[in-house]
Amino acid sequence: MGDTIEFAGCATPCAPLGVGTWAWGDRSTWGMGGYDTALDESTIAGAWEASIEAGVTLFDTAEVYGGGESERIIGRLLAADPAVRDRLVIATKFMPSPWKLGVRGAMRSAAAASIERLGIDRIDLYQIHGPISLRSHSALADALAAVHDEGLVAAVGVSNYSAREMRSMHAALAERGVPLASNQIEYSPLRRGPETVGLLAACRQLGVVPLAYSPIGQGRLTGKYSAAEPPPGKRNFSAHPMEQVDVIVAELRRIGEANGGRTPAQVTLRWIIEKGAVPIPGAKNAAQAEQNAGALGWALDPDDAAAIDRVALEGTRSLANRVWQHG
């Protein structure tokens, strides 16, 4: 992957690394305003500023993160420094709840509400949050094309779609003259499945950018946690036994030490970038944002990349996630 990437339809290029903002404003999973007393809006501002300073300008949010609070926080950060807007790619998501049968009207209302919370004129990348709608791909494509043609969004994407579903949506959008820009999937050394089942190859073939959420396993691959000290809260993506995770972290640490003292998280993010995906790790403060940005500007030795491949896991999914994650 090159030094920058572009989403089809969005004119603003960005580094092949972003920031996932699920934790911004979220209490139930990430503990903001609850168990994580070190996470507040001032530390988020530090993460925002440090990310942009390091050249990381893609910020991914969703209407459901913190009940809209993540979008509102980004809106307040943008209002405090409007000059940065032209450098950023702001991505958000529409929740396609099964009861939203009037999906075209529901999506337009949701996009308008996200725009208001974010305080922007247009969403740079608007994504369907998951393959859970009862409507056909044709109906969903109609809804995406409508908000695109109205100018509410610049580029459109999906999330958690399988290769087959992605191809179907790609074709349905193409009939309406709108490119499919992205597919956001869980991908990391704890969930290598999207690579081994051919989803990443399908993205390359179609020109779709794969965005990798939970790229450091919700903190599991940072080295901060272990079998003796597992992650707190309800962080259930790739929730392998920590004894298995510890083996991977040890290998990441070995490779990092041989590459100028890189951290396990930086090695993980670099591995994902070199696989052709764009990781969007979370950042709760400036230090975490700076750590994430350390994945840019260097390369893994092929032998090191192969060593990570050997210890990487296919991934685990709960029953709920089997409904949610098709990719």
Side-chain angles (χ1 to χ4, degrees):
M1 180 167 285
D3 294 335
T4 62
I5 57 106
E6 292 185 21
F7 298 97
C10 177
T12 305
C14 59
L17 176 69
V19 180
T21 67
W22 180 8
W24 296 8
D26 178 87
R27 182 185 180 101
S28 64
T29 299
W30 294 101
M32 184 168 174
Y35 72 81
D36 192 344
T37 57
L39 173 62
D40 59 30
E41 202 155 334
S42 67
T43 69
I44 288 169
W48 169 269
E49 293 164 4
S51 296
I52 296 171
E53 178 67 24
V56 178
T57 55
L58 164 63
F59 292 86
D60 179 78
T61 184
E63 63 174 340
V64 297
Y65 291 171
E69 188 61 16
S70 175
E71 290 181 330
R72 285 188 283 270
I73 289 170
I74 291 173
R76 290 192 286 272
L77 291 166
L78 283 169
D81 187 10
V84 303
R85 174 65 183 105
D86 290 343
R87 297 160 53 193
L88 306 184
V89 175
I90 303 297
T92 192
K93 307 181 200 73
F94 166 74
M95 180 57 73
S97 302
W99 55 84
K100 294 179 180 177
L101 297 179
V103 67
R104 186 164 177 160
M107 187 179 291
R108 192 201 179 282
S109 295
S114 287
I115 285 170
E116 183 175 359
R117 286 189 291 268
L118 290 163
I120 58 181
D121 295 327
R122 182 172 66 171
I123 298 164
D124 298 315
L125 176 62
Y126 197 49
Q127 306 152 92
I128 296 176
H129 207 141
I132 60 172
S133 176
L134 297 179
R135 301 306 307 275
S136 67
H137 288 167
S138 179
L140 290 166
D142 272 340
L144 285 171
V147 294
H148 175 272
D149 293 346
E150 190 177 341
L152 297 178
V153 309
V156 302
V158 293
S159 181
N160 292 303
Y161 273 46
S162 68
R164 179 185 60 80
E165 291 167 333
M166 181 177 67
R167 289 183 188 279
S168 174
M169 183 62 78
H170 182 276
L173 284 166
E175 290 179 359
R176 294 155 178 82
V178 179
L180 179 64
S182 64
N183 187 4
Q184 187 171 146
I185 52 176
E186 185 194 355
Y187 178 57
S188 79
L190 296 181
R191 188 171 187 264
R192 198 181 169 199
E195 178 187 353
T196 59
V197 303
L199 178 55
L200 294 189
C203 286
R204 286 192 295 272
Q205 182 185 36
L206 297 176
V208 171
V209 176
L211 296 174
Y213 71 79
S214 294
I216 52 176
Q218 297 188 313
R220 290 176 177 83
L221 295 175
T222 62
K224 178 180 179 179
Y225 303 112
S226 66
E229 291 189 55
K234 303 173 182 177
R235 307 183 192 182
N236 60 0
F237 285 103
S238 284
H240 297 278
M242 284 302 296
E243 290 82 2
Q244 293 179 333
V245 178
D246 288 347
V247 172
I248 299 173
V249 171
E251 187 69 358
L252 296 170
R253 185 174 282 114
R254 179 193 68 78
I255 292 169
E257 289 171 355
N259 282 271
R262 306 285 178 181
T263 67
Q266 288 168 340
V267 174
T268 296
L269 296 174
R270 189 69 227 171
W271 179 83
I272 294 170
I273 290 169
E274 293 187 12
K275 293 289 187 179
V278 177
I280 49 171
K284 297 181 179 182
N285 53 52
Q288 289 184 358
E290 291 165 359
Q291 282 287 308
N292 292 342
L296 298 173
W298 60 287
L300 275 173
D301 183 277
D303 289 342
D304 288 335
I308 298 171
D309 289 352
R310 286 193 293 271
V311 297
L313 303 172
E314 283 297 296
T316 61
R317 293 182 295 172
S318 66
L319 177 59
N321 283 346
R322 287 191 186 97
V323 173
W324 181 254
Q325 294 180 321
H326 295 182

